[in-house]
Each structure stands twice: as structure tokens, then as C-alpha cells.
Amino acid sequence: MRQSGNILVIGACGQLGTELVPYLCARYGSHKIIAADIQKPLAPFPSDFVLLDVLDKQSLGKIIKQYDIQVVYHLAAILSAKGEQDPAFAWKLNMDGLFHVLDTCVELQVKQLFWPSSIAVFGPTTPKTMTPQRCVMEPTSMYGITKLAGERLCEYYFQKKNLDIRSLRYPGLIGCKAAPGGGTTDYAVEIFHHAILYGTYQCFLEPDTYLPMMYMDDAIRATVELMEADPKCISIRSSYNIQGMTFSPAEISKSIQQLLPEFTITYQPDFRQQIADSWPKSLDDTTAQEDWNWKSDFDITKLTQTFLQYLQQNQPTPISKLNN
Ligand code: AKB
């Protein structure tokens, strides 16, 4: 079911939005997409762009009315590592922002809403491997707490207000086009840039810290496939588990060394280690597979080849450094 009507992407300048907006423009036409963010984009979007602070509910409503928005992707959030530096603001932005979007969507009869959840909803008491869709969830980071509360709100608004809201529990997202902003899984993006620029990387997690990860192309395809799925197939209105790949810093560095044999890695774990240790290693995404045919495409080898090739073509890196 392709989306009809105009689409607003809030938090468009973030890691996900930077790649989602051009994808939506290509799929539905640039004239149907409005990108919004609290800051101006570094490079222009193919769509219209508006400045928006999601804490300003009045402006949000004005934009939705002005552009006759039917579908909203609300991506603005403070992530796990940044959230620990200012937990009160993480709560405010993540929760008040979500409330504003939910209420405005209901008030203005927006047809569909996408809101991202995260593996951060899980905590130390959650089963670590093949984490089930439904299980014990006791997150210990402020980000995780807001995401779990957000999931409950989403289901509440679906049941009580009939809002067609859909959500994914994203693993660590790895994209080559935009920098991640303040997450615990950010090392998996930084490592590629440092490998190309300096030939070495100091990792803030221990070598054997296994986490669920996903290449951006898979994440965007999952998002749009979920949004286009027949509502009758959507059995989860909190948020779906989706699995891409699982690896540790030691494993991704070995994968990089296959192509850049001189690459070296050192380890200096910081406060983010504790956050990572509280998260699962892999997720059971059977429900997403059964409901809307979810299947990931990228494994660690394809990720490494794609990312390094992109950086090779888009940054001034001597070709001889790549060994493929
Ligand atoms: C983070 O590390 O905070 C995010 C996430 C897993 O949601 N990438």
C-alpha cells in the first residue's frame, strides 16, 4: 500500500533522516516530501525544508496544516550516550516531542505516523541472544527509558485514538552518508572513517562487545516496507524487533583488515561500555518476518565492502590503501 498525501520528516538532518528524505523523494516525488529539523541541513535536500523545534507544538501544527501533511516520520531524539550527559533534557525532548507529535496527528487527522524505537528498550534482565519480541524490559539508560515509555504511548494512541502508528526497534544504524549523533553504537560508523583517514581507530567499547547492527539501506527499506504494509498485517503497535547483523569491535576490525590489511585498532572503554553491556546481542524478528515479510540483506562482509568503497569514492583516499 503506497503512501498517499504529503509526508513530513521531523529530525530530517539526523543520521536516518539524511538518507530517508532522498529515498522518500525518489519513491513518492520530491514535491510530496517536507523535511524539518531544528537546524539547517549541511547539504540541501531534494525536497522543501522547514525549521522546526518539535518542542514547539504550535509550529508543528502550523506546518502540518500548511503543507496538508498526511504522513509523519518523527525521528527527532536524543540518543543513548548523549542522553546520559543530560538525562532531564533527554526525557523532555524524547517524551514531550513524542506527545506533541501524537496529539497533533490526532487533532489534525494525520493518516499515519512512524516513530523509531530502539534495542535500548531492553536492559540487563532481558535475554541476551535472540531476544524475543515480548520479554522482560528494564532499560537502564535514560534513552532506553524514554523509548520504552514511547512504545507504550504509541500502542495507547493506536488503541484509544485510532492513530495508525508504526514503529521499529532499530539496532545500531550504520550509514556512510551522515554522522551518527551521540549513540553507543556510533563506533561502528566512526571506525570506517578512521580506517580510511588515519589507518587506526581507538574504540570506546571492549573488543568482545557484541551488539545488533544494521546497514542504513536495510533500515530504510524496513521502515518504508512497514509503513506500506497492509494495516491488517500489523500485529505489533508498540514496536517491532528487527535483526540485521551482530558483530563485535574485534570482528568488524578484522573485516576491515581483509580490505585494509594495515588497519589497527586499540581499545579504551568509557561510560558507553555499561550501556552496551545492558543491551541484547541479537534479536528474534520472527514477528516482523511473518507480518510484513522482513528480511535483511546486508551482512558484515557486504557492509564493510560497501562502506569502504563509498568512502574511497567520496573522500580523498589513495586507492592503493584498499586491497580489493
Ligand atoms: C544508540 O546507540 O543510542 C542508538 C540506538 C541503538 O538506538 N544507535
Side-chain angles (χ1 to χ4, degrees):
M1 194 183 68
R2 281 171 73 87
Q3 288 163 345
S4 59
N6 294 339
I7 299 175
L8 175 66
V9 181
I10 303 169
C13 297
Q15 190 196 11
L16 179 61
T18 301
E19 299 206 33
L20 180 66
V21 170
Y23 184 93
L24 293 175
C25 287
R27 195 164 176 81
Y28 300 114
S30 297
H31 61 288
K32 288 192 146 187
I33 314 299
I34 313 298
D37 203 289
I38 196 165
Q39 57 181 5
K40 285 197 180 142
L42 292 175
F45 283 113
S47 64
D48 274 359
F49 174 82
V50 286
L51 280 172
L52 172 68
D53 177 355
V54 77
L55 294 177
D56 176 357
K57 189 171 177 231
Q58 236 188 346
S59 297
L60 172 66
K62 264 194 207 154
I63 290 168
I64 289 182
K65 273 195 222 151
Q66 182 187 342
Y67 290 96
D68 189 20
I69 298 295
Q70 299 296 314
V71 179
V72 173
Y73 290 77
H74 169 39
L75 311 179
I78 301 281
L79 300 188
S80 58
K82 212 168 157 203
E84 292 313 295
Q85 275 143 24
D86 190 348
F89 184 65
W91 175 268
K92 186 170 176 57
L93 182 80
N94 294 2
M95 298 315 302
D96 289 0
L98 178 57
F99 256 122
H100 291 172
V101 173
L102 288 167
D103 283 334
T104 309
C105 284
V106 171
E107 277 157 32
L108 299 180
Q109 295 176 351
V110 167
K111 284 200 191 117
Q112 236 193 347
L113 171 63
F114 177 82
W115 172 81
S117 185
S118 160
I119 53 166
V121 292
F122 300 113
T125 51
T126 295
K128 283 264 175 232
T129 50
M130 287 295 278
T131 301
Q133 175 68 42
R134 291 188 171 91
C135 58
V136 176
M137 295 161 91
E138 296 179 325
T140 47
S141 68
M142 180 52 81
Y143 171 65
I145 292 168
T146 64
K147 286 294 176 188
L148 180 54
E151 284 193 8
R152 303 319 309 148
L153 270 182
C154 289
E155 191 165 321
Y156 182 90
Y157 273 70
F158 169 70
Q159 279 169 356
K160 308 271 173 181
K161 316 258 180 179
N162 210 19
L163 181 60
D164 181 358
I165 177 154
R166 304 178 185 203
S167 175
L168 297 171
R169 289 175 181 152
Y170 288 129
L173 298 185
I174 306 171
C176 22
K177 299 193 184 131
T184 302
T185 57
D186 291 9
Y187 90 84
V189 177
E190 284 171 12
I191 195 169
F192 287 104
H193 289 271
H194 285 231
I196 291 287
L197 287 170
Y198 316 117
T200 187
Y201 178 61
Q202 181 172 290
C203 184
F204 56 77
L205 297 181
E206 300 271 15
D208 58 349
T209 311
Y210 284 86
L211 288 170
M213 300 282 184
M214 183 172 284
Y215 187 60
M216 191 58 83
D217 289 17
D218 271 348
I220 287 183
R221 189 171 49 79
T223 306
V224 175
E225 281 176 9
L226 172 66
M227 289 295 273
E228 291 185 355
D230 186 331
K232 291 201 279 296
C233 302
I234 307 294
S235 68
I236 301 290
R237 292 297 182 160
S238 52
S239 193
Y240 278 98
N241 277 8
I242 47 165
Q243 171 71 14
M245 61 192 102
T246 288
F247 59 74
S248 65
E251 281 181 1
I252 191 72
S253 80
K254 264 200 203 121
S255 179
I256 292 172
Q257 280 160 351
Q258 302 286 316
L259 301 174
L260 299 172
E262 278 151 35
F263 171 68
T264 57
I265 184 164
T266 56
Y267 299 94
Q268 188 149 38
D270 64 17
F271 72 99
R272 289 169 277 195
Q273 184 65 45
Q274 208 185 356
I275 301 176
D277 287 342
S278 75
W279 290 350
K281 296 179 197 299
S282 60
L283 304 187
D284 179 352
D285 61 7
T286 310
T287 314
Q289 291 174 36
E290 287 173 357
D291 284 6
W292 43 277
N293 299 320
W294 164 243
K295 192 174 182 315
S296 70
D297 183 32
F298 277 76
D299 61 12
I300 187 169
T301 307
K302 192 169 170 188
L303 158 74
T304 308
Q305 281 165 356
T306 309
F307 209 134
L308 290 178
Q309 220 160 53
Y310 178 87
L311 290 182
Q312 182 190 23
Q313 283 159 8
N314 290 278
Q315 287 195 13
T317 305
I319 282 182
S320 60
K321 274 194 130 190
L322 281 177
N323 193 26
N324 52 352

